[in-house]
C-alpha cells in the first residue's frame, strides 16, 4: 500500500506543505504513520481524505465545519446538504456582483455621452439608472394598453380600403382620442427631467413637455430651477398629486 510524505501529498493535492501541516495540527488530517526518521507518512485513505478537505475548502466551507463533518459516522448526507446551502450562497453572491457589474458598465456607457465630466454627472447617471426599471415598466404599460388599439386601427383601415366599411375606423377614432389624452397625462405625471446645468430634478409644465423637441431619452426644456434651456435627461419621477 502506497505511503506519502507531507511534501508528496501536498503536491498531489495542489497545496503547500504548510497547509498539510496545518490540517494535522487541527486534527482533520492525521498521518497514518511515521517513518524511522520521524517523518509523517500518509496512506491512500489519507490522500482521499485530503482531497475531500481541499474540495470542501474550495467550496467555501470553513475548517471548523469540515472538522465536524469528517468526524461524523456518515458525513455524506450532511456534506450534501451543506454543499447545497453553500451553492445557494455563492449564487446569491454572484447575482449581487453581477448587479454591481451591470451598474458599473451602465455608468461607463453613459459617461461616453457626457461632454463635461464632473462628480455631479455621476450622480445624474446613478439617479437615472436607479429609476431605469420604473421607466421600463412605464413604457410597458403604455405599450400593452396601446397595442389593442393599434391592432384595431390597422384592421379598420384595411377593412375600409377593401370593403368601403368606414364605421369601424370611426369607432376607433372615438376611442383613440380619449386614450391618447389619458396616456399622455399618465406619462407626463410620472416622468421628470434632470438639468445638465444645475443637476436638479424638475417637472416642466405639461404644454412645454408635450410640444418639446425630444429623443427617446432627452427632451428640450427650460429648467424650472436655474433657467437653463436645452436638452434634459428624462427619468422616472414621483407622480404629482393634487392638493385638496
Amino acid at each position: 500500500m502506497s505511503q506519502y510524505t507531507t511534501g508528496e501529498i501536498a503536491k498531489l493535492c495542489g497545496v503547500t506543505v504548510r497547509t498539510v501541516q496545518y490540517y494535522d495540527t487541527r486534527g482533520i488530517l492525521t498521518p497514518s504513520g511515521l517513518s524511522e526518521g520521524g517523518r509523517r507518512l500518509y496512506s491512500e485513505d489519507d490522500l482521499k481524505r485530503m482531497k475531500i478537505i481541499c474540495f470542501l475548502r474550495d467550496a467555501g466551507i470553513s475548517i471548523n465545519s469540515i472538522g465536524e463533518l469528517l468526524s461524523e459516522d456518515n458525513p455524506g448526507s450532511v456534506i450534501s446538504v451543506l454543499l447545497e446551502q453553500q451553492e445557494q450562497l455563492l449564487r446569491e453572491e454572484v447575482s449581487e456582483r453581477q448587479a454591481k457589474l451591470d451598474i458599473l458598465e451602465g455608468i461607463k456607457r453613459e459617461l461616453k455621452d457626457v461632454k463635461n465630466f464632473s462628480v455631479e454627472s455621476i450622480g445624474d447617471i446613478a439617479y437615472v439608472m436607479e429609476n431605469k426599471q420604473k421607466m421600463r415598466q412605464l413604457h410597458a404599460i403604455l405599450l400593452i394598453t396601446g397595442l389593442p388599439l393599434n391592432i384595431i386601427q390597422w384592421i379598420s383601415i384595411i377593412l375600409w380600403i377593401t370593403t368601403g366599411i368606414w364605421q369601424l375606423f370611426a369607432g376607433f377614432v372615438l376611442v383613440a382620442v380619449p386614450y391618447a389624452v389619458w396616456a399622455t397625462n399618465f406619462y407626463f405625471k410620472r416622468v421628470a427631467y434632470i438639468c445638465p446645468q444645475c443637476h436638479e430634478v424638475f417637472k416642466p409644465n405639461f404644454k412645454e413637455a408635450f410640444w418639446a423637441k425630444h429623443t427617446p431619452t432627452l427632451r428640450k426644456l427650460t429648467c424650472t430651477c436655474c433657467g437653463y434651456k436645452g436638452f434634459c435627461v428624462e427619468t422616472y419621477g414621483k407622480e404629482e398629486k393634487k392638493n385638496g
Side-chain angles (χ1 to χ4, degrees), residues 93-125:
E93 184 178 337
V94 168
S95 179
E96 290 175 1
R97 290 182 179 274
Q98 184 61 53
K100 292 178 180 179
L101 183 60
D102 291 341
I103 291 173
L104 289 175
E105 290 177 347
I107 291 176
K108 285 173 64 179
R109 286 195 300 270
E110 297 291 340
L111 283 176
K112 291 179 181 178
D113 298 327
V114 177
K115 294 181 180 179
N116 298 317
F117 174 77
S118 66
V119 175
E120 289 83 3
S121 300
I122 295 181
D124 293 345
I125 293 169

mmCIF file of all heavy atoms in Angstrom, residues 93-125:
data_model
loop_
_atom_site.group_PDB
_atom_site.id
_atom_site.type_symbol
_atom_site.label_atom_id
_atom_site.label_comp_id
_atom_site.label_asym_id
_atom_site.label_seq_id
_atom_site.Cartn_x
_atom_site.Cartn_y
_atom_site.Cartn_z
ATOM 1 N N GLU A 93 -24.282 35.524 -4.139
ATOM 2 C CA GLU A 93 -23.125 36.422 -4.217
ATOM 3 C C GLU A 93 -22.822 36.781 -5.674
ATOM 4 O O GLU A 93 -22.532 37.942 -5.990
ATOM 5 C CB GLU A 93 -21.907 35.750 -3.583
ATOM 6 C CG GLU A 93 -20.668 36.640 -3.538
ATOM 7 C CD GLU A 93 -19.483 35.975 -2.874
ATOM 8 O OE1 GLU A 93 -19.700 35.031 -2.082
ATOM 9 O OE2 GLU A 93 -18.346 36.383 -3.146
ATOM 10 N N VAL A 94 -22.904 35.779 -6.560
ATOM 11 C CA VAL A 94 -22.670 36.027 -7.985
ATOM 12 C C VAL A 94 -23.712 37.003 -8.524
ATOM 13 O O VAL A 94 -23.393 37.915 -9.292
ATOM 14 C CB VAL A 94 -22.716 34.701 -8.781
ATOM 15 C CG1 VAL A 94 -22.765 34.971 -10.282
ATOM 16 C CG2 VAL A 94 -21.503 33.843 -8.448
ATOM 17 N N SER A 95 -24.970 36.818 -8.103
ATOM 18 C CA SER A 95 -26.044 37.696 -8.555
ATOM 19 C C SER A 95 -25.814 39.134 -8.106
ATOM 20 O O SER A 95 -26.002 40.084 -8.878
ATOM 21 C CB SER A 95 -27.386 37.184 -8.024
ATOM 22 O OG SER A 95 -28.437 38.025 -8.423
ATOM 23 N N GLU A 96 -25.386 39.299 -6.841
ATOM 24 C CA GLU A 96 -25.117 40.640 -6.321
ATOM 25 C C GLU A 96 -23.954 41.286 -7.059
ATOM 26 O O GLU A 96 -24.011 42.475 -7.405
ATOM 27 C CB GLU A 96 -24.793 40.553 -4.821
ATOM 28 C CG GLU A 96 -25.994 40.185 -3.960
ATOM 29 C CD GLU A 96 -25.619 39.989 -2.504
ATOM 30 O OE1 GLU A 96 -24.427 40.159 -2.171
ATOM 31 O OE2 GLU A 96 -26.514 39.661 -1.702
ATOM 32 N N ARG A 97 -22.910 40.501 -7.305
ATOM 33 C CA ARG A 97 -21.744 41.048 -8.014
ATOM 34 C C ARG A 97 -22.100 41.385 -9.464
ATOM 35 O O ARG A 97 -21.592 42.356 -10.016
ATOM 36 C CB ARG A 97 -20.579 40.051 -7.959
ATOM 37 C CG ARG A 97 -19.977 39.917 -6.565
ATOM 38 C CD ARG A 97 -18.806 38.958 -6.550
ATOM 39 N NE ARG A 97 -18.228 38.857 -5.220
ATOM 40 C CZ ARG A 97 -17.305 39.679 -4.737
ATOM 41 N NH1 ARG A 97 -16.841 40.665 -5.491
ATOM 42 N NH2 ARG A 97 -16.819 39.520 -3.519
ATOM 43 N N GLN A 98 -22.956 40.558 -10.078
ATOM 44 C CA GLN A 98 -23.368 40.836 -11.448
ATOM 45 C C GLN A 98 -24.166 42.133 -11.511
ATOM 46 O O GLN A 98 -24.020 42.915 -12.465
ATOM 47 C CB GLN A 98 -24.214 39.675 -11.987
ATOM 48 C CG GLN A 98 -24.616 39.834 -13.454
ATOM 49 C CD GLN A 98 -23.417 39.912 -14.378
ATOM 50 O OE1 GLN A 98 -22.538 39.050 -14.346
ATOM 51 N NE2 GLN A 98 -23.379 40.941 -15.219
ATOM 52 N N ALA A 99 -25.006 42.356 -10.481
ATOM 53 C CA ALA A 99 -25.788 43.597 -10.431
ATOM 54 C C ALA A 99 -24.863 44.804 -10.326
ATOM 55 O O ALA A 99 -25.067 45.828 -10.998
ATOM 56 C CB ALA A 99 -26.758 43.556 -9.253
ATOM 57 N N LYS A 100 -23.824 44.687 -9.497
ATOM 58 C CA LYS A 100 -22.862 45.779 -9.361
ATOM 59 C C LYS A 100 -22.096 45.988 -10.664
ATOM 60 O O LYS A 100 -21.816 47.123 -11.061
ATOM 61 C CB LYS A 100 -21.887 45.481 -8.211
ATOM 62 C CG LYS A 100 -22.539 45.506 -6.828
ATOM 63 C CD LYS A 100 -21.538 45.169 -5.745
ATOM 64 C CE LYS A 100 -22.198 45.197 -4.359
ATOM 65 N NZ LYS A 100 -21.236 44.840 -3.291
ATOM 66 N N LEU A 101 -21.758 44.869 -11.325
ATOM 67 C CA LEU A 101 -21.039 44.954 -12.598
ATOM 68 C C LEU A 101 -21.906 45.645 -13.658
ATOM 69 O O LEU A 101 -21.412 46.461 -14.434
ATOM 70 C CB LEU A 101 -20.649 43.553 -13.071
ATOM 71 C CG LEU A 101 -19.828 43.459 -14.358
ATOM 72 C CD1 LEU A 101 -18.507 44.199 -14.218
ATOM 73 C CD2 LEU A 101 -19.572 41.999 -14.727
ATOM 74 N N ASP A 102 -23.198 45.336 -13.656
ATOM 75 C CA ASP A 102 -24.118 45.970 -14.605
ATOM 76 C C ASP A 102 -24.180 47.478 -14.369
ATOM 77 O O ASP A 102 -24.248 48.270 -15.323
ATOM 78 C CB ASP A 102 -25.518 45.366 -14.470
ATOM 79 C CG ASP A 102 -25.578 43.928 -14.963
ATOM 80 O OD1 ASP A 102 -24.667 43.526 -15.716
ATOM 81 O OD2 ASP A 102 -26.519 43.213 -14.596
ATOM 82 N N ILE A 103 -24.167 47.876 -13.088
ATOM 83 C CA ILE A 103 -24.203 49.301 -12.756
ATOM 84 C C ILE A 103 -22.943 49.992 -13.278
ATOM 85 O O ILE A 103 -23.008 51.061 -13.893
ATOM 86 C CB ILE A 103 -24.335 49.501 -11.236
ATOM 87 C CG1 ILE A 103 -25.727 49.054 -10.765
ATOM 88 C CG2 ILE A 103 -24.097 50.963 -10.851
ATOM 89 C CD1 ILE A 103 -25.893 49.065 -9.262
ATOM 90 N N LEU A 104 -21.786 49.364 -13.037
ATOM 91 C CA LEU A 104 -20.524 49.950 -13.494
ATOM 92 C C LEU A 104 -20.484 50.070 -15.021
ATOM 93 O O LEU A 104 -20.053 51.082 -15.560
ATOM 94 C CB LEU A 104 -19.343 49.094 -13.011
ATOM 95 C CG LEU A 104 -19.036 49.139 -11.511
ATOM 96 C CD1 LEU A 104 -17.934 48.147 -11.176
ATOM 97 C CD2 LEU A 104 -18.619 50.535 -11.094
ATOM 98 N N GLU A 105 -20.942 49.022 -15.706
ATOM 99 C CA GLU A 105 -20.942 49.055 -17.166
ATOM 100 C C GLU A 105 -21.901 50.124 -17.679
ATOM 101 O O GLU A 105 -21.624 50.805 -18.665
ATOM 102 C CB GLU A 105 -21.330 47.681 -17.717
ATOM 103 C CG GLU A 105 -20.252 46.617 -17.498
ATOM 104 C CD GLU A 105 -20.678 45.245 -17.980
ATOM 105 O OE1 GLU A 105 -21.891 45.064 -18.246
ATOM 106 O OE2 GLU A 105 -19.819 44.360 -18.097
ATOM 107 N N GLY A 106 -23.041 50.264 -16.979
ATOM 108 C CA GLY A 106 -24.003 51.291 -17.357
ATOM 109 C C GLY A 106 -23.438 52.692 -17.194
ATOM 110 O O GLY A 106 -23.624 53.556 -18.058
ATOM 111 N N ILE A 107 -22.735 52.905 -16.082
ATOM 112 C CA ILE A 107 -22.117 54.219 -15.843
ATOM 113 C C ILE A 107 -21.066 54.512 -16.914
ATOM 114 O O ILE A 107 -20.982 55.630 -17.434
ATOM 115 C CB ILE A 107 -21.490 54.273 -14.437
ATOM 116 C CG1 ILE A 107 -22.596 54.269 -13.369
ATOM 117 C CG2 ILE A 107 -20.620 55.521 -14.273
ATOM 118 C CD1 ILE A 107 -22.085 54.213 -11.951
ATOM 119 N N LYS A 108 -20.270 53.506 -17.285
ATOM 120 C CA LYS A 108 -19.244 53.694 -18.316
ATOM 121 C C LYS A 108 -19.880 54.060 -19.656
ATOM 122 O O LYS A 108 -19.384 54.924 -20.368
ATOM 123 C CB LYS A 108 -18.407 52.416 -18.459
ATOM 124 C CG LYS A 108 -17.415 52.201 -17.321
ATOM 125 C CD LYS A 108 -16.738 50.845 -17.428
ATOM 126 C CE LYS A 108 -15.883 50.735 -18.677
ATOM 127 N NZ LYS A 108 -15.199 49.427 -18.767
ATOM 128 N N ARG A 109 -20.990 53.393 -19.986
ATOM 129 C CA ARG A 109 -21.669 53.700 -21.248
ATOM 130 C C ARG A 109 -22.211 55.123 -21.247
ATOM 131 O O ARG A 109 -22.091 55.855 -22.223
ATOM 132 C CB ARG A 109 -22.811 52.711 -21.491
ATOM 133 C CG ARG A 109 -22.369 51.325 -21.916
ATOM 134 C CD ARG A 109 -23.532 50.539 -22.477
ATOM 135 N NE ARG A 109 -24.598 50.390 -21.500
ATOM 136 C CZ ARG A 109 -24.671 49.375 -20.654
ATOM 137 N NH1 ARG A 109 -23.756 48.430 -20.663
ATOM 138 N NH2 ARG A 109 -25.675 49.296 -19.803
ATOM 139 N N GLU A 110 -22.826 55.503 -20.110
ATOM 140 C CA GLU A 110 -23.421 56.832 -20.017
ATOM 141 C C GLU A 110 -22.352 57.926 -20.048
ATOM 142 O O GLU A 110 -22.562 59.007 -20.609
ATOM 143 C CB GLU A 110 -24.253 56.951 -18.738
ATOM 144 C CG GLU A 110 -25.453 56.015 -18.664
ATOM 145 C CD GLU A 110 -26.543 56.384 -19.653
ATOM 146 O OE1 GLU A 110 -26.548 57.540 -20.119
ATOM 147 O OE2 GLU A 110 -27.382 55.522 -19.964
ATOM 148 N N LEU A 111 -21.199 57.651 -19.439
ATOM 149 C CA LEU A 111 -20.142 58.667 -19.381
ATOM 150 C C LEU A 111 -19.588 59.005 -20.765
ATOM 151 O O LEU A 111 -19.049 60.094 -20.964
ATOM 152 C CB LEU A 111 -19.004 58.181 -18.470
ATOM 153 C CG LEU A 111 -19.264 58.281 -16.958
ATOM 154 C CD1 LEU A 111 -18.097 57.684 -16.188
ATOM 155 C CD2 LEU A 111 -19.467 59.731 -16.535
ATOM 156 N N LYS A 112 -19.731 58.090 -21.709
ATOM 157 C CA LYS A 112 -19.243 58.349 -23.062
ATOM 158 C C LYS A 112 -20.002 59.509 -23.703
ATOM 159 O O LYS A 112 -19.486 60.182 -24.592
ATOM 160 C CB LYS A 112 -19.378 57.091 -23.922
ATOM 161 C CG LYS A 112 -18.430 55.972 -23.521
ATOM 162 C CD LYS A 112 -18.626 54.746 -24.390
ATOM 163 C CE LYS A 112 -17.684 53.616 -23.972
ATOM 164 N NZ LYS A 112 -17.893 52.398 -24.794
ATOM 165 N N ASP A 113 -21.241 59.720 -23.246
ATOM 166 C CA ASP A 113 -22.061 60.790 -23.816
ATOM 167 C C ASP A 113 -21.975 62.087 -23.026
ATOM 168 O O ASP A 113 -22.629 63.069 -23.357
ATOM 169 C CB ASP A 113 -23.534 60.341 -23.885
ATOM 170 C CG ASP A 113 -23.714 59.129 -24.780
ATOM 171 O OD1 ASP A 113 -22.970 59.026 -25.772
ATOM 172 O OD2 ASP A 113 -24.584 58.297 -24.485
ATOM 173 N N VAL A 114 -21.191 62.078 -21.927
ATOM 174 C CA VAL A 114 -21.063 63.276 -21.094
ATOM 175 C C VAL A 114 -19.876 64.095 -21.576
ATOM 176 O O VAL A 114 -18.734 63.637 -21.534
ATOM 177 C CB VAL A 114 -20.880 62.890 -19.602
ATOM 178 C CG1 VAL A 114 -20.672 64.138 -18.752
ATOM 179 C CG2 VAL A 114 -22.105 62.128 -19.106
ATOM 180 N N LYS A 115 -20.132 65.290 -22.050
ATOM 181 C CA LYS A 115 -19.054 66.130 -22.584
ATOM 182 C C LYS A 115 -18.219 66.729 -21.451
ATOM 183 O O LYS A 115 -16.992 66.738 -21.494
ATOM 184 C CB LYS A 115 -19.653 67.232 -23.449
ATOM 185 C CG LYS A 115 -20.318 66.711 -24.709
ATOM 186 C CD LYS A 115 -20.876 67.858 -25.539
ATOM 187 C CE LYS A 115 -21.542 67.323 -26.804
ATOM 188 N NZ LYS A 115 -22.114 68.420 -27.619
ATOM 189 N N ASN A 116 -18.886 67.286 -20.446
ATOM 190 C CA ASN A 116 -18.176 67.915 -19.325
ATOM 191 C C ASN A 116 -18.326 67.030 -18.090
ATOM 192 O O ASN A 116 -19.314 67.107 -17.368
ATOM 193 C CB ASN A 116 -18.745 69.313 -19.063
ATOM 194 C CG ASN A 116 -18.553 70.229 -20.256
ATOM 195 O OD1 ASN A 116 -17.496 70.247 -20.856
ATOM 196 N ND2 ASN A 116 -19.589 70.991 -20.602
ATOM 197 N N PHE A 117 -17.326 66.183 -17.880
ATOM 198 C CA PHE A 117 -17.384 65.227 -16.773
ATOM 199 C C PHE A 117 -17.251 65.932 -15.426
ATOM 200 O O PHE A 117 -16.456 66.850 -15.256
ATOM 201 C CB PHE A 117 -16.261 64.206 -16.923
ATOM 202 C CG PHE A 117 -16.150 63.269 -15.756
ATOM 203 C CD1 PHE A 117 -17.041 62.228 -15.610
ATOM 204 C CD2 PHE A 117 -15.177 63.460 -14.789
ATOM 205 C CE1 PHE A 117 -16.942 61.372 -14.534
ATOM 206 C CE2 PHE A 117 -15.073 62.614 -13.717
ATOM 207 C CZ PHE A 117 -15.957 61.561 -13.592
ATOM 208 N N SER A 118 -18.071 65.502 -14.466
ATOM 209 C CA SER A 118 -17.989 66.041 -13.109
ATOM 210 C C SER A 118 -18.584 65.016 -12.153
ATOM 211 O O SER A 118 -19.206 64.033 -12.561
ATOM 212 C CB SER A 118 -18.767 67.356 -12.999
ATOM 213 O OG SER A 118 -20.152 67.128 -13.182
ATOM 214 N N VAL A 119 -18.394 65.259 -10.863
ATOM 215 C CA VAL A 119 -18.981 64.385 -9.843
ATOM 216 C C VAL A 119 -20.499 64.401 -9.966
ATOM 217 O O VAL A 119 -21.172 63.376 -9.812
ATOM 218 C CB VAL A 119 -18.548 64.834 -8.432
ATOM 219 C CG1 VAL A 119 -19.256 64.005 -7.370
ATOM 220 C CG2 VAL A 119 -17.039 64.716 -8.270
ATOM 221 N N GLU A 120 -21.047 65.587 -10.270
ATOM 222 C CA GLU A 120 -22.495 65.703 -10.421
ATOM 223 C C GLU A 120 -22.995 64.842 -11.579
ATOM 224 O O GLU A 120 -24.109 64.305 -11.536
ATOM 225 C CB GLU A 120 -22.888 67.163 -10.651
ATOM 226 C CG GLU A 120 -22.743 68.056 -9.430
ATOM 227 C CD GLU A 120 -21.318 68.551 -9.242
ATOM 228 O OE1 GLU A 120 -20.467 68.224 -10.107
ATOM 229 O OE2 GLU A 120 -21.060 69.233 -8.249
ATOM 230 N N SER A 121 -22.170 64.693 -12.619
ATOM 231 C CA SER A 121 -22.552 63.871 -13.769
ATOM 232 C C SER A 121 -22.783 62.427 -13.346
ATOM 233 O O SER A 121 -23.738 61.784 -13.776
ATOM 234 C CB SER A 121 -21.462 63.922 -14.846
ATOM 235 O OG SER A 121 -21.253 65.235 -15.297
ATOM 236 N N ILE A 122 -21.896 61.915 -12.490
ATOM 237 C CA ILE A 122 -22.055 60.547 -11.993
ATOM 238 C C ILE A 122 -23.335 60.441 -11.178
ATOM 239 O O ILE A 122 -24.066 59.453 -11.250
ATOM 240 C CB ILE A 122 -20.838 60.117 -11.152
ATOM 241 C CG1 ILE A 122 -19.592 60.050 -12.036
ATOM 242 C CG2 ILE A 122 -21.082 58.756 -10.508
ATOM 243 C CD1 ILE A 122 -18.348 59.621 -11.309
ATOM 244 N N GLY A 123 -23.618 61.468 -10.385
ATOM 245 C CA GLY A 123 -24.845 61.475 -9.594
ATOM 246 C C GLY A 123 -26.076 61.423 -10.479
ATOM 247 O O GLY A 123 -27.033 60.700 -10.190
ATOM 248 N N ASP A 124 -26.064 62.184 -11.579
ATOM 249 C CA ASP A 124 -27.187 62.175 -12.516
ATOM 250 C C ASP A 124 -27.364 60.784 -13.132
ATOM 251 O O ASP A 124 -28.479 60.262 -13.235
ATOM 252 C CB ASP A 124 -26.950 63.190 -13.642
ATOM 253 C CG ASP A 124 -26.965 64.625 -13.117
ATOM 254 O OD1 ASP A 124 -27.429 64.836 -11.984
ATOM 255 O OD2 ASP A 124 -26.497 65.520 -13.848
ATOM 256 N N ILE A 125 -26.245 60.186 -13.549
ATOM 257 C CA ILE A 125 -26.288 58.866 -14.171
ATOM 258 C C ILE A 125 -26.816 57.831 -13.178
ATOM 259 O O ILE A 125 -27.648 56.981 -13.517
ATOM 260 C CB ILE A 125 -24.889 58.456 -14.677
ATOM 261 C CG1 ILE A 125 -24.475 59.364 -15.836
ATOM 262 C CG2 ILE A 125 -24.873 57.000 -15.127
ATOM 263 C CD1 ILE A 125 -23.026 59.233 -16.237
#
